Coordinates of all heavy atoms in Angstrom, one line a residue:
D57 N 0.9 -1.2 0.0 CA 0.0 0.0 0.0 C 0.9 1.2 0.0 O 2.1 1.2 0.2 CB -1.0 0.0 1.2 CG -0.3 0.1 2.5 OD1 0.6 0.8 2.7 OD2 -0.8 -0.6 3.4
E58 N 0.3 2.4 -0.2 CA 1.0 3.6 -0.4 C 1.9 4.0 0.8 O 3.1 4.4 0.7 CB 0.1 4.8 -0.7 CG 0.9 6.1 -1.1 CD -0.1 7.2 -1.5 OE1 -1.3 6.9 -1.7 OE2 0.5 8.3 -1.7
E59 N 1.4 3.8 2.0 CA 2.1 4.1 3.2 C 3.3 3.2 3.4 O 4.4 3.7 3.7 CB 1.2 4.0 4.5 CG 1.9 4.5 5.7 CD 0.9 4.4 6.9 OE1 -0.3 4.8 6.7 OE2 1.3 3.9 8.0
E60 N 3.2 1.9 3.1 CA 4.3 1.0 3.2 C 5.3 1.3 2.1 O 6.5 1.3 2.4 CB 3.8 -0.4 3.0 CG 3.1 -1.0 4.1 CD 2.5 -2.4 3.8 OE1 2.5 -2.8 2.6 OE2 2.3 -3.2 4.7
A61 N 4.9 1.7 0.9 CA 5.8 2.0 -0.2 C 6.6 3.2 0.1 O 7.8 3.2 -0.1 CB 5.0 2.2 -1.5
I62 N 6.0 4.2 0.7 CA 6.7 5.5 1.0 C 7.8 5.2 2.1 O 8.9 5.6 1.9 CB 5.7 6.5 1.5 CG1 4.8 7.0 0.4 CG2 6.4 7.7 2.2 CD1 3.7 7.9 0.8
E63 N 7.4 4.4 3.1 CA 8.4 4.0 4.1 C 9.6 3.2 3.5 O 10.8 3.5 3.8 CB 7.7 3.2 5.2 CG 8.7 2.8 6.3 CD 8.1 1.9 7.4 OE1 6.9 1.5 7.2 OE2 8.8 1.6 8.3
M64 N 9.3 2.2 2.7 CA 10.3 1.4 2.2 C 11.2 2.1 1.2 O 12.4 2.0 1.2 CB 9.7 0.1 1.5 CG 10.7 -0.9 1.0 SD 9.9 -2.4 0.4 CE 11.3 -3.4 0.0
E65 N 10.6 2.9 0.3 CA 11.3 3.7 -0.7 C 12.3 4.7 0.0 O 13.4 4.9 -0.4 CB 10.4 4.4 -1.6 CG 9.8 3.4 -2.6 CD 8.7 4.0 -3.5 OE1 8.5 5.2 -3.5 OE2 8.0 3.2 -4.2
A66 N 11.8 5.3 1.1 CA 12.6 6.3 1.8 C 13.8 5.6 2.4 O 14.9 6.2 2.4 CB 11.8 7.0 2.9
L67 N 13.6 4.4 3.0 CA 14.7 3.7 3.6 C 15.7 3.3 2.5 O 16.9 3.4 2.7 CB 14.2 2.5 4.4 CG 15.2 1.6 5.1 CD1 16.1 2.5 6.0 CD2 14.5 0.5 5.9
E68 N 15.2 2.7 1.4 CA 16.1 2.3 0.3 C 16.9 3.5 -0.1 O 18.1 3.4 -0.3 CB 15.3 1.8 -0.8 CG 14.6 0.5 -0.6 CD 13.7 0.1 -1.8 OE1 14.2 -0.1 -2.9 OE2 12.5 -0.1 -1.6
S69 N 16.3 4.7 -0.4 CA 17.0 5.8 -0.8 C 18.0 6.3 0.1 O 19.2 6.6 -0.3 CB 16.0 7.0 -1.1 OG 15.0 6.6 -2.1
A70 N 17.7 6.2 1.4 CA 18.7 6.6 2.5 C 19.9 5.7 2.5 O 21.1 6.1 2.6 CB 18.1 6.7 3.8
L71 N 19.6 4.4 2.4 CA 20.7 3.4 2.4 C 21.6 3.5 1.2 O 22.8 3.5 1.3 CB 20.1 2.0 2.5 CG 19.4 1.6 3.8 CD1 18.7 0.3 3.7 CD2 20.4 1.7 5.0
L72 N 21.0 3.7 0.0 CA 21.7 3.9 -1.2 C 22.5 5.2 -1.1 O 23.7 5.2 -1.6 CB 20.8 3.9 -2.4 CG 20.2 2.5 -2.7 CD1 19.1 2.6 -3.7 CD2 21.3 1.5 -3.2
A73 N 22.0 6.3 -0.6 CA 22.7 7.5 -0.5 C 23.9 7.3 0.4 O 25.0 7.9 0.1 CB 21.8 8.6 0.1
S74 N 23.8 6.5 1.5 CA 25.0 6.2 2.3 C 26.1 5.5 1.6 O 27.3 5.6 2.0 CB 24.6 5.4 3.6 OG 24.4 4.0 3.2
L75 N 25.8 4.9 0.4 CA 26.8 4.3 -0.4 C 27.2 5.1 -1.6 O 27.9 4.6 -2.5 CB 26.2 2.9 -0.9 CG 25.8 1.9 0.2 CD1 25.0 0.7 -0.4 CD2 27.0 1.4 0.9
G76 N 26.6 6.3 -1.7 CA 27.0 7.2 -2.8 C 26.2 6.9 -4.0 O 26.6 7.3 -5.1
I77 N 25.0 6.3 -3.9 CA 24.2 5.9 -5.1 C 23.0 6.8 -5.1 O 22.3 7.0 -4.1 CB 23.8 4.5 -5.0 CG1 25.1 3.6 -5.1 CG2 22.9 4.1 -6.1 CD1 24.8 2.1 -4.8
A78 N 22.7 7.4 -6.3 CA 21.5 8.3 -6.4 C 20.2 7.6 -6.1 O 20.1 6.4 -6.2 CB 21.5 8.8 -7.9
D79 N 19.3 8.4 -5.7 CA 17.9 8.0 -5.3 C 17.3 7.4 -6.5 O 17.0 8.0 -7.5 CB 17.1 9.2 -4.8 CG 15.7 8.8 -4.4 OD1 15.3 7.7 -4.5 OD2 15.0 9.8 -3.9
P80 N 17.0 6.1 -6.4 CA 16.4 5.4 -7.6 C 14.9 5.8 -7.9 O 14.4 5.6 -8.9 CB 16.4 3.9 -7.2 CG 16.4 3.9 -5.7 CD 17.1 5.2 -5.3
Y81 N 14.3 6.5 -6.9 CA 12.9 7.0 -7.0 C 12.8 8.5 -7.3 O 11.8 9.0 -7.6 CB 12.1 6.7 -5.8 CG 12.1 5.2 -5.4 CD1 12.9 4.7 -4.4 CD2 11.4 4.3 -6.2 CE1 12.9 3.3 -4.1 CE2 11.4 2.9 -5.9 CZ 12.1 2.5 -4.8 OH 12.1 1.1 -4.6
G82 N 14.0 9.1 -7.2 CA 14.0 10.6 -7.4 C 14.0 11.0 -8.8 O 14.3 10.3 -9.8

């Protein structure tokens, strides 16, 4: 659902940013 997706995508984006990888959803 949308709430779960927002939470998961935000976490993925933050973890990838910590590795120097651009936001895949941005």
Side-chain angles (χ1 to χ4, degrees):
D57 64 42
E58 186 175 351
E59 188 175 314
E60 289 176 339
I62 290 169
E63 178 185 6
M64 186 172 182
E65 290 173 9
L67 181 54
E68 288 174 62
S69 297
L71 293 172
L72 291 166
S74 76
L75 299 171
I77 298 172
D79 182 354
Y81 301 107

